[in-house]
Tab-separated table of all heavy atoms in Angstrom:
chain	number	residue	atom	x	y	z
A	25	LEU	N	-13.458	98.023	90.554
A	25	LEU	CA	-13.197	97.176	89.465
A	25	LEU	C	-11.892	97.366	88.832
A	25	LEU	O	-11.091	96.385	88.598
A	25	LEU	CB	-14.311	97.318	88.361
A	25	LEU	CG	-14.203	96.455	87.143
A	25	LEU	CD1	-14.161	95.024	87.501
A	25	LEU	CD2	-15.205	96.737	86.091
A	66	LYS	N	-0.889	57.617	59.577
A	66	LYS	CA	-1.269	56.284	59.312
A	66	LYS	C	-2.404	55.869	60.273
A	66	LYS	O	-2.198	55.759	61.472
A	66	LYS	CB	-0.034	55.293	59.486
A	66	LYS	CG	-0.453	53.859	59.216
A	66	LYS	CD	0.782	52.837	59.287
A	66	LYS	CE	0.437	51.457	59.119
A	66	LYS	NZ	1.541	50.494	59.135
A	138	GLU	N	19.634	48.442	51.056
A	138	GLU	CA	19.032	49.652	50.555
A	138	GLU	C	19.741	50.913	51.048
A	138	GLU	O	20.955	51.164	50.734
A	138	GLU	CB	17.468	49.720	50.930
A	138	GLU	CG	16.725	48.595	50.158
A	138	GLU	CD	15.248	48.725	50.287
A	138	GLU	OE1	14.677	49.694	50.801
A	138	GLU	OE2	14.563	47.792	49.797
A	155	GLN	N	26.584	42.132	64.635
A	155	GLN	CA	26.627	43.595	64.401
A	155	GLN	C	25.144	44.227	64.255
A	155	GLN	O	24.825	45.260	64.819
A	155	GLN	CB	27.410	43.976	63.132
A	155	GLN	CG	28.901	43.632	63.325
A	155	GLN	CD	29.650	44.664	64.058
A	155	GLN	OE1	29.109	45.711	64.394
A	155	GLN	NE2	30.904	44.437	64.395
A	164	VAL	N	16.631	50.350	70.146
A	164	VAL	CA	15.724	50.119	71.271
A	164	VAL	C	16.111	50.993	72.534
A	164	VAL	O	15.297	51.687	73.145
A	164	VAL	CB	15.659	48.608	71.681
A	164	VAL	CG1	14.968	48.415	72.992
A	164	VAL	CG2	15.006	47.875	70.587
A	223	PHE	N	11.283	17.008	53.729
A	223	PHE	CA	10.110	17.872	53.349
A	223	PHE	C	9.740	17.646	51.994
A	223	PHE	O	8.477	17.448	51.722
A	223	PHE	CB	10.540	19.351	53.547
A	223	PHE	CG	9.484	20.318	53.010
A	223	PHE	CD1	8.458	20.774	53.810
A	223	PHE	CD2	9.609	20.861	51.622
A	223	PHE	CE1	7.484	21.584	53.245
A	223	PHE	CE2	8.593	21.686	51.226
A	223	PHE	CZ	7.537	22.046	52.039
A	261	GLU	N	13.216	41.713	29.242
A	261	GLU	CA	13.125	42.314	30.524
A	261	GLU	C	14.405	43.139	30.857
A	261	GLU	O	14.435	43.752	31.956
A	261	GLU	CB	12.883	41.238	31.673
A	261	GLU	CG	11.596	40.412	31.483
A	261	GLU	CD	10.340	41.315	31.637
A	261	GLU	OE1	10.401	42.377	32.375
A	261	GLU	OE2	9.315	41.066	31.019
A	275	ALA	N	22.320	30.531	34.546
A	275	ALA	CA	21.139	31.258	35.222
A	275	ALA	C	19.908	30.334	34.968
A	275	ALA	O	19.075	30.258	35.846
A	275	ALA	CB	21.001	32.590	34.579
A	306	SER	N	3.519	20.966	25.456
A	306	SER	CA	4.367	21.570	24.515
A	306	SER	C	5.499	22.452	25.165
A	306	SER	O	5.350	22.806	26.305
A	306	SER	CB	3.539	22.430	23.508
A	306	SER	OG	3.050	23.650	24.280
A	357	ARG	N	21.851	17.764	34.496
A	357	ARG	CA	22.443	18.978	34.960
A	357	ARG	C	23.805	19.199	34.409
A	357	ARG	O	24.567	18.252	34.078
A	357	ARG	CB	22.648	18.887	36.470
A	357	ARG	CG	21.303	18.897	37.338
A	357	ARG	CD	21.513	18.801	38.830
A	357	ARG	NE	22.171	19.927	39.332
A	357	ARG	CZ	22.562	20.106	40.655
A	357	ARG	NH1	22.343	19.113	41.582
A	357	ARG	NH2	23.149	21.177	41.001
A	367	SER	N	27.184	31.341	44.260
A	367	SER	CA	27.017	31.238	42.818
A	367	SER	C	26.279	32.487	42.293
A	367	SER	O	26.383	32.888	41.118
A	367	SER	CB	26.212	29.976	42.468
A	367	SER	OG	26.931	28.882	42.735
A	401	GLY	N	4.831	27.138	58.744
A	401	GLY	CA	3.883	26.693	57.753
A	401	GLY	C	4.082	25.252	57.403
A	401	GLY	O	5.207	24.894	57.077
A	406	TRP	N	10.828	26.653	53.711
A	406	TRP	CA	11.642	27.325	54.741
A	406	TRP	C	11.341	26.933	56.075
A	406	TRP	O	12.162	27.207	57.094
A	406	TRP	CB	11.447	28.874	54.523
A	406	TRP	CG	11.992	29.509	53.342
A	406	TRP	CD1	11.263	29.927	52.211
A	406	TRP	CD2	13.329	29.661	53.006
A	406	TRP	NE1	12.157	30.419	51.235
A	406	TRP	CE2	13.377	30.284	51.650
A	406	TRP	CE3	14.530	29.458	53.700
A	406	TRP	CZ2	14.591	30.629	51.049
A	406	TRP	CZ3	15.760	29.860	52.987
A	406	TRP	CH2	15.764	30.337	51.745
A	416	ASN	N	10.795	27.244	78.713
A	416	ASN	CA	10.639	28.370	79.574
A	416	ASN	C	9.610	29.317	78.986
A	416	ASN	O	9.958	30.289	78.313
A	416	ASN	CB	12.045	29.064	79.676
A	416	ASN	CG	13.064	28.142	80.198
A	416	ASN	OD1	12.885	27.379	81.091
A	416	ASN	ND2	14.311	28.305	79.701
A	420	LYS	N	5.782	26.548	70.033
A	420	LYS	CA	5.845	26.486	68.617
A	420	LYS	C	4.489	26.016	68.017
A	420	LYS	O	3.843	25.071	68.485
A	420	LYS	CB	6.926	25.558	68.132
A	420	LYS	CG	7.107	25.416	66.599
A	420	LYS	CD	8.332	24.711	66.259
A	420	LYS	CE	8.392	23.280	66.696
A	420	LYS	NZ	9.576	22.560	66.163
Side-chain angles (χ1 to χ4, degrees):
L25 178 61
K66 180 176 179 178
E138 295 189 2
Q155 294 284 351
V164 169
F223 171 85
E261 298 296 333
S306 70
R357 293 180 63 182
S367 295
W406 291 106
N416 305 320
K420 179 169 68 176

